[in-house]
Structure formats: C-alpha cells, structure tokens
Amino acid sequence: MRFLSLYRHARPEGVPPSEREMAEMGRLIDEMTRAGVLLATEGCMPSAQGARVRLAQGTFAVTAGPFAEAGEAIGGFALIQARSREEAIEWSKRFLKVIGDGECEIRQLHDAPDCMG
Amino acid sequence: MTATDTHRAIDAVWRIEAPRLIAGLTRMVHDVGLAEELAQDALVAALERWPESGVPDNPGAWLMATAKHRAIDLLRRDKLLDRKHEELARELADAQDERMAQSDAHLDDPVGDDLLRLVFIACHPVLSLEARVALTLRLLGGLTTDEIARAFLVPEPTVAQRIVRAKRTLAEAQVPFEVPRGAALVERLAGVLGVIYLIFNEGYTATAGEDWMRPSLCEDALRLGRVLAGLMPKEPEVHGLVALMEIQASRLPARAGPNGEPVLLLEQDRARWDRVLIGRGLAALERAEKLGGVRGPYALQAAIAACHARAPDAAATDWARIAALYAALAEVAPSPVVELNRAVAVGMAEGPRAALALVDALVEAGSLRDYHLLPSVRGDLLRKLGRLDEARMELERAASLARNARERALLLARAAACAAAPPTERTDRPSRSTR
C-alpha cells in the first residue's frame, strides 16, 4: 500500500537547514530509497511563492502566500510504499527526527485492490 | 500510546530492521536459522520492554545489541569455542562505533554486504524453488509465515515446514555466507532475479485461487528488487528487472474491470496507469542501458514494456521496435512463447501475412500444442486476412484449450463474431500475449 506523508513544519519558513541537517536528510533519503520504500519526495519553496485557490458557491478566491501561521505551511511530501500504516508512521518519525519539530500527516492512497477474477 | 499501538509500532520497526538484523547476525554465528532465532528473541525482548520504556531512539541498534547479547549467552552456555566468544564480545563493543560509522557507510558498506550475502543464501540453488521464495520473503521481505502462506494459497504449516527444512539444508550443506564471484556470480544472480520475478508474477497473474492479481505481492517483489538494485548498483540486469516490474506494476490499476475481469493491455485505460511507477521504471531502464545492459533478458523485456508505457494510446505503439526487441530477446532467451509474441508484434507492424508465416512455423514445431494463445493468435491473423471459416475454427480450438472461464468466454465470442461479421467491421482485437 502507498501513503502520502505531508510535512508541515513548526519553525518559521525561510530558515535554511544547516549543512549537518542536509547531510542527515540525504542519508535518510538514501536509506529509504535503498529500502525500496521511498517512491518520490520533494521539498516545497517558501509559501510566499505559493497560493491557495478556493471555490465556494461558484466563486473563486485566490490567496497569495506567504501563509504565516505556524504549522500551516506545507514543507514537503514523501510518497511511501509500506506494508502497513504503522510502517509509514515509523518512517515519518525517522524523517521528523532529522528535520526537527513539525508534523507529518499520513494518508493512505487508493491502490488497485487484490481482486477476484 | 496504548499497548496495542506500541505493539504495532514494534511490528513496523521489526519489518524495517529484521533483514539487516538477521544478515548481521548470520555473519556472526554462520547459521541463518540461529540468526533468525536470535533476532526473534530480541523482538520478544522489545515486546516485553518497549510498552513500558517506550520505543528507543534507535530501535535498530537496540535490537542488534540485544540479539548480540543473546548470541554471547548462547555461545557461553553451549561452551563453544573461546575464540568465537571473544570475537563476539569484540563485535558487541564495536556495535556502537558501527552505528556511528554508518554515516560513511556507502564507501565501505558492511551492513549492505551482509544483506547481499543473505540474498544469495536465501536464493541458494541447494534449495527448491518454493523454499527459495519462502525464505526470501521471510528473511528479506520481513513477511510472516502466515502472510507467505496466504499469498501463495498454501496451508501455513506447509510454509513453516518449507522454511525449517530450507534452513536445515543450508546448515547441512554448509553453504558459506558470501557473495559469489566471477562466473558463479552471473549464474547465481540470474537465480536471485528469477526468484524475485517469480514472486512478482505470482502477484501479477496469480496461477492459483480466485484472485487473478495480488498487488501486495507485486509490491513485495518490487521492494526486494529495489533493495537489490541498491546493493548491486553496477549490475545492469538488476536495474532491468526493477524497470520491468515498475512498468508492469504501473498497469495494475487498469488491469481489472469494474467486476474484477481481466482487461487486456491494448484495451486498458492508460489514464489509469501509474505515472510515478512508469517514471521510475524508465529511469531504471536508462540505468540498465547506461551500464551496457541492453541485451539482458530483463532489460529487453523492460524495453518492450517501455514501448507500451511511452505510447499515449494503443494505436501509437511502436510495433516495429517491439518486434525488433522480441527478436533480440529470442536470441538471448529463446522460447516459443517469445517467438509467438514476436509474431504478434510483427503482425501489428507489418501486417498479418508476415506474422502468419511465423505462427505457422511454431505450429509446425509443435512445442506449443496445448497453449491456447497459439490458435488464438493464429485465428486472429486469419480473420484479418479474411479467412473467416479457418479463423472461427482456430478460435474455437483456442477456447477449448483455455483454462480460465473468462478467457474461454472471450474466445468463443470472437469465434462467433467471425461467423457473423465481415472483417472490416471489426477493429483489430489485440492478442493477450503481450501484456
């Protein structure tokens, strides 16, 4: 099964990670790739470059970034193939341990089910 | 965290860490069975302690240290060689340093080396194919015996016994814990790839039971393949196999209709193909090609799969290239099934007349006599040539040979259509032989 892990950071945006953090993150990504778990991952540019698009009762509302509220801005995502939700949780913990305070929202994705034929 | 949550968390940690744990322990005790027992003991200790103490910061290192302690206890109890004991004690002391040193692991990767040795032990030719599959899923895939039994639709005791026997066989044969070298490596690697692809195919087109696909088994095989690619990054065929599996798996969402019925490749809704997996597959294929792997059987099959993946719709398929790739595949891995697939591709590229000559040669050779796809393909070509009576007879014969009820129904419908309609009114119906 596959999971989307959506990361929201607690620290203010725009603080670049230290070299050490970068190296640790590189190692974790390498480990997850070599374990066959990580299908894709990207980090987001600061939310100032982003926007929110809403449709309410037929009317669009577009809000340009930044989204200042702590824990609101999405920092990145990982697409994970795991055998259980718990395994996805464990990998997300390892990710957070490297990147620091923040939150990962883990969502299972629709997959082709084992099907009768 | 409730106790159940903790147990689930431990289970997840176990699945992530077990292969490396067992691999490292096998190097120490030179016995896969004992190594697995020690790892299991560590797991039991974790299940006792972690619900109270919480999951430690580095659970993998905790499990390894615990297992190594048990190993030393056991060796003491059994009064095994002092030298071995000292070796273990030293290793234990080094355990901490090892974890630290893992930061530079990829220059000289002891953990990876052990894992690779474990791969070659699990797929060792002294074992039966079933035993290799079970042991690989168990030791490297982190599956339980019960999960393996369910995946292959055999009773759990059968799988358990297979695994026990396999471990005994390995011990009795004194199979060394090593990666083969030179010419042996080529042969043994082909064996490992064969085991992984067999697992994938069992998930892709199940040979037994009611399900005709079990994507979870495909995922297990994919994961094993990716791990192997990480361990042997310079072997083109490993990337070839990964590419083939990623691209084939990309079609899983489109391979079954609303009622679970099979949907043939050329009739699949390509919008449902998984673009992430296709991208990964094409990248893996590129790696295989860069390493000079264009002639390996897996890389060739991946290249064929890539032709379909790249075509925006069935009509845009590059059949000439597929036919050429099948010809190359027939050279390195000759088989009548490959030849039949080549005939289908030639038929699409050059027309039915050229393909019929190839198919007739196969009929002449007689090796596919009971294979329903041979008369199915032949019937199709005859229909396109307007020889409808012959086409109908071939398709009916194909139906009588087909074992799957859904396929039989489809073939009978096609046979009936030959009797009813002139060929121009029908669109080309693809053969099932390319998937």
Side-chain angles (χ1 to χ4, degrees), chain B residues 70-86:
Chain B
R70 306 252 157 174
I72 290 171
D73 286 349
L74 192 80
L75 289 171
R76 267 191 198 134
R77 224 181 307 142
D78 292 356
K79 297 194 183 72
L80 290 185
L81 292 173
D82 279 351
R83 194 178 52 80
K84 189 73 215 163
H85 175 191
E86 275 166 30

Side-chain angles (χ1 to χ4, degrees), chain B residues 32-33 36 135 138 162-171:
Chain B
V32 172
E36 205 201 356
L135 209 54
R138 166 90 176 192
R162 242 175 234 173
I163 290 172
V164 169
R165 267 201 218 126
K167 288 179 191 161
R168 201 189 306 144
T169 305
L170 289 171

Side-chain angles (χ1 to χ4, degrees), chain A residues 1-2 27 30-31 33-40 79 81-87 90-91 93-94 97 111-117, chain B residues 1 8 12-13 15-17 20 57 103 106 109 141 143 210-216 219-220 223 226-227 230 253 256 260 274 280 406:
Chain A
M1 42 185 105
R2 289 180 312 164
R27 259 196 302 278
D30 186 48
E31 187 194 343
T33 304
R34 289 163 66 101
V37 170
L38 190 63
L39 299 182
L79 186 60
Q81 182 191 305
R83 228 170 266 118
S84 64
R85 187 183 67 176
E86 284 67 31
E87 194 191 339
E90 176 61 28
W91 286 113
K93 279 184 188 168
R94 293 181 185 200
K97 224 181 271 174
D111 270 319
D114 285 11
C115 60
M116 310 290 277
Chain B
M1 223 188 227
R8 288 202 181 123
V13 168
R15 278 161 189 272
I16 294 170
E17 302 294 342
R20 283 186 286 190
D57 220 33
S103 40
H106 300 314
D109 180 5
L143 268 71
E210 295 291 306
D211 299 351
W212 85 281
M213 302 198 285
R214 284 194 286 280
S216 48
E219 286 193 346
D220 287 323
R223 204 160 148 170
R226 293 178 194 137
V227 168
D274 187 320
R280 294 177 57 90
R406 288 181 189 276

